[in-house]
Amino acid sequence: MKAIQFFEYGNSDVLRLEDISLPEPKSEEVLIKIHACGVNFADTLVRKNQYIFTPSLPFIPGFEVAGTIEKLGTEVTGFSIGQRVVAFISNGGYAEYATAPQNLTAILPEEIEFVSGAAIQIQGLTAFHMLKTVAQLKPGQSVLVNAAAGGVGSVAVQLAKIFGASQIIATAGSPEKLEFAQSLGANTLVNYREPDWHEQVLRATDGKGVDVILEAVGGETFLKSLECLANFGKLIVYGSSSGSSVFDPTILLTKNKTVIGFGLYGFLENTLYNESLNTLFEYIKQGKLNVQISGRFPLAEASKVHHLIESRSSQGKFILQP
């Protein structure tokens, strides 16, 4: 089968299209013929050996796939060959076939195309659980979504609206991206390239600050986000794309602020994965949640897709299709 591998860490040029053996599912795994694989910013970090784990080389990237079941492990129950499924995997998605654990595999409704099924998993579940499970967002509260035109951000804006947020503040780095975020439901727009953007957020909330902030940029953006946090507000960190942040923790005391870290890996277990993913599927079927696809590319163009992601010019999600 065809698969994208890298044999050394480095820029997007290290991604190579190779012929490799078809993987064999273990007893509690399924073999999936892949129709679509989501590409994430985390994939670029893995490729450069800058992620939370060090990949063993050679490595096939790709953590979320959608396709049809080709083969069942000997102890797999509840699935059958030919079923349309999505799966959350530890690696191997940039390929024609991949194995997936049955507890992180879910049936994809017929009404939802493979591309949307692949795209919604990591970023959809991240946005869902940050807002619903961790922040416990209540109707009438305010939400600030940094990088609102990105994969997680574009879903988070829509979910914040579904969950009843009264004010959804979107930050992005261009008028086009802000207009995109507004089309998804954001009602307050702020360009984070302007030096006083955090002061604009405070003015937009009449000086009260924001109840829930989703933050994955790090560095100065994290520090300014912290200044925007309301009394008893929650700032949820799910990444640090521009670098780490150092701050005086006593800044949390004056307004009882909370900073929470969120990572999808290790967070999900069988019932949580299936229940929350099925909820997202229902939102899609009802027309409440629109999965934003930036582009669809063949496997051979994985290097190009990584370059596009790292250029920070994308809106929504890129998909590889074998």
Side-chain angles (χ1 to χ4, degrees):
M1 71 168 188
K2 298 289 186 183
I4 293 290
Q5 290 183 305
F6 59 88
F7 295 79
E8 59 181 322
Y9 310 118
N11 61 29
S12 60
D13 293 339
V14 302
L15 298 175
R16 292 162 47 180
L17 184 65
E18 300 285 330
D19 285 303
I20 65 171
S21 300
L22 196 71
E24 185 69 20
K26 297 177 182 177
S27 61
E28 296 185 359
E29 292 182 336
V30 298
L31 177 65
I32 298 173
K33 181 179 181 180
I34 298 173
H35 291 255
C37 175
V39 184
N40 296 280
F41 181 75
D43 297 352
T44 69
L45 298 179
V46 172
R47 190 199 71 230
K48 294 182 286 189
N49 196 23
Q50 295 176 358
Y51 200 49
I52 55 177
F53 67 84
T54 298
S56 299
L57 300 178
F59 187 83
I60 303 173
F63 303 128
E64 54 185 345
V65 298
T68 53
I69 293 181
E70 189 83 2
K71 189 175 182 179
L72 302 172
T74 56
E75 298 181 25
V76 171
T77 59
F79 294 100
S80 59
I81 292 174
Q83 276 185 317
R84 303 172 81 250
V85 294
V86 296
F88 185 57
I89 57 180
S90 59
N91 64 281
Y94 291 18
E96 292 179 317
Y97 294 86
T99 57
Q102 66 172 336
N103 66 316
L104 291 178
T105 301
I107 296 185
L108 179 66
E110 291 289 340
E111 302 94 326
I112 300 176
E113 63 175 333
F114 288 114
V115 167
S116 296
I120 197 61
Q121 285 192 95
I122 289 178
Q123 293 167 337
L125 291 172
T126 296
F128 180 91
H129 286 293
M130 283 196 297
L131 291 171
K132 196 74 171 177
T133 310
V134 179
Q136 298 181 350
L137 181 67
K138 299 178 179 62
Q141 289 187 311
S142 57
V143 176
L144 167 62
V145 181
N146 283 325
V152 173
S154 62
V155 178
V157 168
Q158 296 178 79
L159 290 180
K161 183 177 180 180
I162 292 171
F163 297 155
S166 60
Q167 186 175 24
I168 304 170
I169 305 170
T171 73
S174 70
E176 294 77 17
K177 288 186 176 182
L178 288 172
E179 184 177 345
F180 173 67
Q182 185 178 35
S183 72
L184 300 177
N187 49 33
T188 303
L189 309 175
V190 177
N191 190 325
Y192 64 69
R193 296 191 186 280
E194 297 176 5
D196 70 335
W197 71 264
H198 59 302
E199 295 174 1
Q200 294 181 44
V201 171
L202 286 172
R203 288 196 294 271
T205 59
D206 296 325
K208 297 176 182 177
V210 185
D211 296 310
V212 175
I213 299 178
L214 307 186
E215 214 305 273
V217 181
E220 190 68 22
T221 301
F222 168 84
L223 296 175
K224 288 187 175 181
S225 295
L226 200 53
E227 292 185 42
C228 301
L229 202 57
N231 194 19
F232 291 101
K234 297 176 182 178
L235 191 157
I236 303 172
V237 177
Y238 65 101
S240 186
S241 61
S242 70
S244 59
S245 309
V246 178
F247 71 100
D248 180 358
T250 59
I251 196 174
L252 306 176
L253 307 182
T254 55
K255 287 193 174 182
N256 303 289
K257 299 177 180 181
T258 300
V259 176
I260 308 170
F262 178 88
L264 195 59
Y265 294 100
F267 177 80
L268 295 177
E269 44 87 16
N270 187 25
T271 56
L272 197 57
Y273 171 78
N274 278 277
E275 288 175 5
S276 48
L277 193 56
N278 286 332
T279 298
L280 292 175
F281 287 157
E282 284 300 315
Y283 291 153
I284 294 172
K285 289 193 292 182
Q286 294 167 10
K288 295 179 179 179
L289 179 60
N290 185 5
V291 183
Q292 302 296 317
I293 305 298
S294 292
R296 311 177 187 203
F297 297 82
L299 277 180
E301 296 186 13
S303 178
K304 176 182 178 179
V305 175
H306 274 222
H307 179 73
L308 288 170
I309 289 176
E310 291 176 306
S311 71
R312 307 295 177 91
S313 60
S314 62
Q315 296 179 3
K317 189 67 171 267
F318 287 110
I319 295 292
L320 289 177
Q321 293 184 284

